[in-house]
Amino acid sequence: MTIHTHSDAETKSLAQLPLYPEAADAPAAIAAFAQFTVALAEDRAEHLHCWRPVDAPHLAVVGDYGCGKTVTVQNAAAQFARAHWAVHIAAQFDHEYAQFRSWANVRCVATQPDKQIALIGHLALLLKQRLRAGPSRVHAPVVLLVDSLSEIAENFSLAHSYSGAPTPDPATADLHALLRYGRQVRIHVLAAMVPRDAATFSAEIQDNFVEFPLSRRHHGLALSAYIDEERQFTAQRN
């Protein structure tokens, strides 16, 4: 994986006003696509680290448990929704993302394996439709947020093994296609990942992601303040 920035980044919940004006509609999202930037985390010098999908189509937020990966993905989901992107979420735990179901521009929050497989299949079909439309068509931006990639991939594998089908896992193949070709038609992926799990993925999957590492060192005694910030962010979202 390509290292996007150093590992001293710390995610804080975005309880403040949006960093950029909210898009009014899909045409505004299309017009702003090349400049759209997602705020991710601050380092100890309070420098804000960001992600611009037009430059790095797919991003992996990598860190140990408790470092803030989920809050990073939640923050990104809020920013994408405000920017009028079509937001799709595949997550392991419903309580962390359920409230996003009521947000404008959030198309799906899938927290069960069958729903996750259906979501990936839907996006793979959208990918094929857009690729067939050709390069002259300007598409509205789409994002898939995954928390976390290893757990969702395991759900795909287990569901396929229970089916007894001798063919390769179709959901994993669809995910590979999104990572391989999505950048051509404005379909982007932001995935949370634990460092030791990265080695379980093929080199092809790893090469499609730019890596954004989060450090756990900041939490310790500051954990209670961090949780309070998360509650404040959750309250504002509601």
Side-chain angles (χ1 to χ4, degrees):
M1 290 186 181
T2 304
I3 299 300
H4 183 63
T5 185
H6 54 75
S7 60
D8 283 338
E10 175 186 14
T11 297
K12 298 179 180 179
S13 58
L14 299 180
Q16 69 272 20
L17 295 174
L19 295 176
Y20 305 100
E22 298 187 17
D25 49 27
I30 293 173
F33 173 75
Q35 290 76 39
F36 178 67
T37 304
V38 181
L40 294 172
E42 289 182 348
D43 59 24
R44 287 189 289 180
E46 297 185 354
H47 294 146
L48 187 63
H49 295 263
C50 300
W51 172 40
R52 182 171 291 180
V54 71
D55 296 328
H58 308 305
L59 186 75
V61 178
V62 182
D64 291 324
Y65 295 104
C67 72
K69 296 188 301 298
T70 292
V71 174
T72 302
V73 177
Q74 290 173 331
N75 287 343
Q79 293 172 79
F80 280 117
R82 290 166 174 165
H84 223 287
W85 284 47
V87 180
H88 304 76
I89 301 173
Q92 190 75 355
F93 300 110
D94 189 77
H95 69 275
E96 294 174 335
Y97 293 93
Q99 61 190 296
F100 278 104
R101 290 191 174 98
S102 64
W103 273 54
N105 304 317
V106 176
R107 305 295 177 83
C108 178
V109 178
T111 57
Q112 297 297 323
D114 58 333
K115 302 298 191 298
Q116 294 162 357
I117 291 170
L119 169 58
I120 297 299
H122 164 72
L123 291 177
L125 179 60
L126 177 64
L127 172 70
K128 293 176 183 178
Q129 292 172 343
R130 290 188 170 190
L131 289 173
R132 284 198 295 266
S136 61
R137 181 75 176 270
V138 179
H139 301 285
V142 174
V143 64
L144 169 65
L145 307 173
V146 183
D147 187 3
S148 69
L149 186 62
S150 59
E151 294 167 331
I152 302 304
E154 184 178 358
N155 287 347
F156 293 165
S157 178
L158 288 175
H160 186 63
S161 65
Y162 289 146
S163 72
T167 56
D169 173 13
T172 299
D174 287 343
L175 179 60
H176 287 194
L178 290 173
L179 293 172
R180 188 180 304 117
Y181 303 114
R183 67 191 68 197
Q184 300 178 27
V185 290
R186 298 187 177 183
I187 299 177
H188 303 268
V189 179
L190 169 61
M193 190 183 303
V194 177
R196 60 180 173 272
D197 290 340
T200 66
F201 296 107
S202 67
E204 180 182 0
I205 288 184
Q206 294 184 45
D207 289 343
N208 277 294
F209 283 107
V210 170
E211 182 177 318
F212 184 84
L214 287 176
S215 172
R216 194 176 181 180
R217 72 178 66 181
H218 297 276
H219 297 295
L221 296 176
L223 182 58
S224 60
Y226 177 81
I227 292 176
D228 288 343
E229 289 177 358
E230 185 176 353
R231 291 196 183 110
Q232 181 182 3
F233 176 55
T234 299
Q236 177 167 336
R237 288 191 309 202
N238 286 337

